[in-house]
Amino acid sequence: MAEPHPFHSPRTHGFVRVAAATPVVHIADPMANAQEHAALIRQAGEAGCDLVVFPELSLSGYAIDDLHMQAALLDAVDRQIGELARAVGEAGLVAVVGAPVRHGDRLLNTAVVLAGGEVTGVVPKTYLPNYREYYEKRWFSSGDDIGAETIRIGGQDSWIGTRLLFEADDRPGFVVGIEICEDFWAPVPPSTRQALAGARILLNLSASNIVIGKADERAMLCSSQSARTLSAYVFTASGWGESTTDLAWDGQATIHELGAKLASGERFALESHLTIADVDIARIGQDRLRNGTFADCARRELDEEGCIRLGFRTHPSPGGGGLRRPLDRFPFVPDDPARLDQDCFEAFNIQVQGLMRRMTATGAEKLCIGVSGGLDSTQALLVACRAFDRLKLPRTNILGFTLPGFATSEGTKSNAWALMTALGVTGEEIDIRPAAERLLADIHHPYADGQPVHDITFENVQAGLRTDYLFRLANQNRAFVLGTGDLSELALGWATYGVGDHMSHYNVNGGVAKTLIRHLIRWVAEREPEGGASDVLNAILDTEISPELVPAAADGQIQSTEATVGPYALNDFFLFHITRFGTSPSKVAFLAHQAWGDASRGHWPANTPDAERFACDLPTIKAWLRKFLIRFFQTSQFKRSALPNGPKVVTGGSLSPRGDWRAPSDGNARVWLDELDAHVPEA
């Protein structure tokens, strides 16, 4: 069987597969606990994991009280550490286990790092709880004064200290920081400085007992710490088998990255198990790179001693299948219905308030908008109606114009009229064909002589006239022109520059991706029906996206935008990952293939019609990505460098030259195309 191309491995693209282990606990029985560990380590290795982390004091059990002070128990723990080191070496990963460890004349609650058949290092717990049900200071000493010292453990010489980080020798960015349970609840957790020192994956070995509501608190802290430190945070707590003399245990395990939950394990399970996810250390690095505050804080907060990095190597199994983490097909549109409802509420109101503020600032009481019967002008008109309602202005002051040209269909024109009528705005129709014919004749275009030449000039004469009419109508009515072009079109340069749909007095859609606009219109249609407009809104959603500038072909096929620039679903996916994280084209292609390669896999946003649920193979994704790279990096920036004002809406960023994206208008796409060709196979 042929070896799979490296492109198809998540590891190639900067992912590290981590596992939070939840073993069955055997009270004060290090050998039995080590056997549970070894089985989970083998399982993690077979699943292609690079890293597996166990709960606090996992080799001895946590709730064993004064048994921690027994020499026989501590000797047994030490022996099992040596045995487990060999098992970890065979599995080809790095494992972090919890153990009580003697160091000099004190006992420490520690995390022991095992890799390559050896004990790589030991991290002691800093903050020991000694309140309410906790009595750790009865048995353990804090390791806060141990920066980096040598220790004899598991029959080997190794390092111990709170200033230790662990770095894969062969995996850039695979840097691990470790804290233990209560450390996590401190106002300044050790993991904060570990992250500032370069750790991208933070681990918490916990024996936190469970009471009502505590699981939510732990998940909140994990999410918050991963967001604040721009990291991944892996948490695993003791579960079944721990002593329930006075406490209970749920075995909670979670994996978060940059604030988002990647995976969570079964709580109150009765069997040992793993919670696995692929952590994107490359994305974490890119996010830190573009966040200057992170580097400034590191420079301010880290002292001269810094951290010591101890190296390790992994050789994980090539198995494990595809990417193991949530991956949105629509980065601008959440899958969860409640979150989608919240996002639509926020996006709509951002647009509305932006327009309201511009109107109050200019003193305008009227606006002009071109209403085509398409998605973008529909959304802009809905925003305008809500803004006028909140400003207590009559909707009749919204002057909507349908401007049919040579390819305007009866369907879109009737939808435009039905929408304006349902919303109660002032509607008017101006046929631009006579003016377009005169202009084409004046410039001696072949179409004026009866030739069927439908080139870019033919198209832009119509697009330019529409905007020209709107600006002059705005002058005449003491109004301003409301733009309708969206974020996705700006990314692709799909706008007629200058006196065309590129320009307006204010553009409410410039920060909204096309895929989100679809759901915003559905949201208005289903949750906030506007004067009986729901039927026409749904009809507009069912209409193929077209600029309607070129007459239909002899077979009746209309001009299709997506046939030219590619599916907006893919283009929005490309746009998000390239602008939000600076992701390389090959990784974007890999992620797109994972998200779009199989329509039956994964979740779709609520209310997505079956007709919009499609799949793409890798060659198709590569071809459309190539077109996107050329349009985005090489041919369209000059349009984005001269954009009208409009509010930023989505977390992926805006393309305003005054906002998230600033680029030279004279750039080219060579380095992105070369990277795509060098690293993405044809299949």
Side-chain angles (χ1 to χ4, degrees):
M1 184 176 179
E3 188 74 17
H5 193 283
F7 170 84
H8 297 285
S9 169
R11 200 168 286 113
T12 300
H13 303 283
F15 291 95
V16 170
R17 183 159 295 175
V18 301
T22 308
V24 170
V25 178
H26 299 270
I27 298 170
D29 191 343
M31 180 177 292
N33 286 325
Q35 290 172 351
E36 297 281 355
H37 283 52
L40 287 173
I41 287 166
R42 286 192 296 271
Q43 184 181 334
E46 291 165 359
C49 292
D50 303 288
L51 168 67
V52 58
V53 56
F54 290 84
E56 180 180 13
L57 297 173
S58 56
L59 280 177
S60 61
Y62 177 83
I64 64 173
D65 298 335
D66 289 352
L67 300 185
H68 284 302
M69 309 298 289
Q70 291 291 310
L73 178 91
L74 298 175
D75 289 343
V77 166
D78 190 69
R79 286 194 300 272
Q80 295 308 318
I81 288 172
E83 294 295 326
L84 279 179
R86 286 184 281 276
V88 169
E90 293 171 2
L93 45 68
V94 56
V96 184
V97 303
V101 170
R102 290 167 293 197
H103 182 55
D105 293 324
R106 54 180 169 171
L107 184 64
L108 301 171
N109 179 344
T110 74
V112 181
V113 181
L114 309 173
E118 299 179 344
V119 178
T120 304
V122 181
V123 177
K125 189 171 184 176
T126 296
Y127 297 105
L128 302 176
N130 222 57
Y131 54 88
R132 293 199 295 268
E133 62 264 45
Y134 302 110
Y135 296 92
E136 287 192 30
K137 289 183 180 179
R138 178 181 175 96
W139 312 294
F140 299 107
S141 296
S142 170
D144 62 347
D145 61 330
I146 306 173
E149 301 175 6
T150 58
I151 185 174
R152 183 73 177 173
I153 182 171
Q156 306 171 33
D157 291 324
S158 188
W159 288 93
I160 184 170
T162 57
R163 292 182 175 272
L164 302 182
L165 299 182
F166 302 88
E167 180 175 26
D169 295 332
D170 53 347
R171 303 278 295 280
F174 185 178
V175 184
V176 177
I178 302 168
E179 61 189 4
I180 301 173
C181 202
E182 183 73 9
D183 294 346
F184 176 55
W185 268 272
V188 182
S191 61
T192 298
R193 288 194 168 87
Q194 292 167 3
L196 292 173
R200 296 187 187 179
I201 301 176
L202 306 175
L203 310 181
N204 188 302
L205 294 75
S206 177
S208 176
N209 64 298
I210 187 61
V211 293
I212 292 173
K214 194 172 185 180
D216 289 341
E217 180 184 4
R218 292 187 298 217
M220 178 270 292
L221 288 170
C222 291
S223 173
S224 175
Q225 188 67 346
S226 71
R228 186 177 295 278
T229 61
L230 300 179
S231 69
Y233 200 93
V234 185
F235 175 92
T236 182
S238 300
W240 173 255
E242 275 286 7
S243 172
T244 57
T245 302
D246 290 302
L247 302 173
W249 319 86
D250 67 335
Q252 184 174 11
T254 63
I255 302 171
H256 286 78
E257 177 187 298
L258 300 176
K261 184 176 71 176
L262 301 184
S264 59
E266 179 186 356
R267 295 171 58 216
F268 301 105
L270 301 182
E271 297 180 351
S272 298
H273 61 279
L274 298 173
T275 301
I276 299 175
D278 289 331
V279 167
D280 193 345
I281 56 171
R283 185 174 83 156
I284 290 169
Q286 283 292 105
D287 222 27
R288 290 180 176 182
L289 192 69
R290 65 190 350 100
N291 185 322
T293 300
F294 186 88
D296 290 344
C297 187
R299 189 170 57 251
R300 179 184 177 89
E301 296 296 331
L302 295 179
D303 56 35
E304 294 181 359
E305 292 186 38
C307 289
I308 296 174
R309 296 195 182 193
L310 303 179
F312 63 85
R313 282 186 173 271
T314 61
H315 51 91
S317 163
L323 195 63
R324 298 183 65 163
R325 62 184 276 129
L327 180 60
D328 291 328
R329 287 184 174 89
F330 298 92
F332 299 111
V333 183
D335 298 335
D336 177 65
R339 178 60 191 273
L340 177 57
D341 179 63
Q342 176 71 12
D343 282 12
C344 287
F345 167 80
E346 291 185 346
F348 192 63
N349 281 285
I350 290 169
Q351 292 179 281
V352 169
Q353 288 211 351
L355 178 57
M356 290 172 62
R357 184 67 186 93
R358 180 50 54 93
M359 292 185 68
T360 56
T362 61
E365 295 188 354
K366 292 183 179 181
L367 61 78
C368 293
I369 179 174
V371 183
S372 68
L375 295 172
D376 294 341
S377 65
T378 296
Q379 175 62 17
L381 185 56
L382 292 171
V383 169
C385 287
R386 178 60 60 82
F388 271 61
D389 291 347
R390 294 191 66 182
L391 290 169
K392 302 188 184 311
L393 294 172
R395 289 189 180 185
T396 51
N397 281 13
I398 301 172
L399 311 179
F401 296 90
T402 179
L403 302 156
F406 297 120
T408 301
S409 68
E410 186 58 36
T412 55
K413 187 170 77 169
S414 63
N415 281 342
W417 269 113
L419 182 64
M420 291 189 290
T421 300
L423 295 178
V425 306
T426 300
E428 186 174 340
E429 182 174 319
I430 299 176
D431 189 341
I432 67 168
R433 286 174 295 182
E437 288 170 347
R438 176 58 188 266
L439 180 52
L440 289 166
D442 287 346
I443 65 174
H444 308 295
H445 189 275
Y447 182 83
D449 296 329
Q451 299 180 45
V453 177
H454 305 136
D455 56 10
I456 189 67
T457 304
F458 176 82
E459 293 190 40
N460 283 349
V461 160
Q462 298 170 78
L465 278 170
R466 285 174 175 149
T467 304
D468 199 6
Y469 270 109
L470 290 173
F471 271 100
R472 303 296 74 80
L473 287 162
N475 295 152
Q476 187 178 39
N477 290 280
R478 298 182 61 81
F480 69 82
V481 177
L482 185 64
T484 62
D486 63 48
L487 181 69
S488 309
E489 292 178 342
L490 294 173
L492 295 163
W494 194 249
T496 301
Y497 184 75
V499 185
D501 54 337
H502 165 262
M503 191 48 61
S504 63
H505 288 121
Y506 192 76
N507 185 5
V508 293
N509 285 344
V512 187
K514 182 81 78 178
T515 47
L516 180 56
I517 282 180
R518 280 190 173 278
H519 289 273
L520 283 167
I521 294 172
R522 287 193 185 105
W523 183 78
V524 173
E526 294 178 5
R527 288 173 172 78
E528 301 188 24
E530 292 278 0
S534 293
D535 289 342
V536 67
L537 291 176
N538 286 314
I540 289 168
L541 287 167
D542 291 337
T543 303
E544 182 170 357
I545 300 172
S546 171
E548 293 195 322
L549 295 171
V550 174
D555 61 1
Q557 182 66 42
I558 68 167
Q559 184 183 18
S560 169
T561 297
E562 292 184 301
T564 301
V565 300
Y568 275 112
L570 282 182
N571 283 319
D572 281 358
F573 188 95
F574 302 155
L575 172 65
F576 176 85
H577 289 281
I578 286 173
T579 58
R580 173 63 182 86
F581 294 107
T583 307
S584 64
S586 62
K587 185 171 181 176
V588 173
F590 170 79
L591 293 171
H593 190 227
Q594 293 289 316
W596 290 94
D598 183 349
S600 66
R601 189 176 62 219
H603 301 287
W604 292 82
N607 304 317
T608 302
D610 290 342
E612 295 178 20
R613 301 182 183 221
F614 64 93
C616 287
D617 58 19
L618 184 58
T620 301
I621 289 169
K622 184 177 180 180
W624 286 125
L625 179 53
R626 170 177 287 279
K627 288 195 173 185
F628 177 89
L629 295 172
I630 293 170
R631 296 188 73 99
F632 184 77
F633 286 106
Q634 187 162 308
T635 66
S636 303
Q637 181 58 40
F638 76 99
K639 297 180 181 181
R640 298 189 290 268
S641 294
L643 286 180
N645 296 164
K648 176 180 175 179
V649 177
V650 296
T651 57
S654 78
L655 296 177
S656 166
R658 301 166 296 277
D660 294 38
W661 182 257
R662 305 179 193 195
S665 296
D666 303 313
N668 67 78
R670 184 176 301 116
V671 296
W672 291 270
L673 295 174
D674 288 348
E675 201 278 343
L676 181 75
D677 291 336
H679 298 104
V680 181
E682 295 303 320

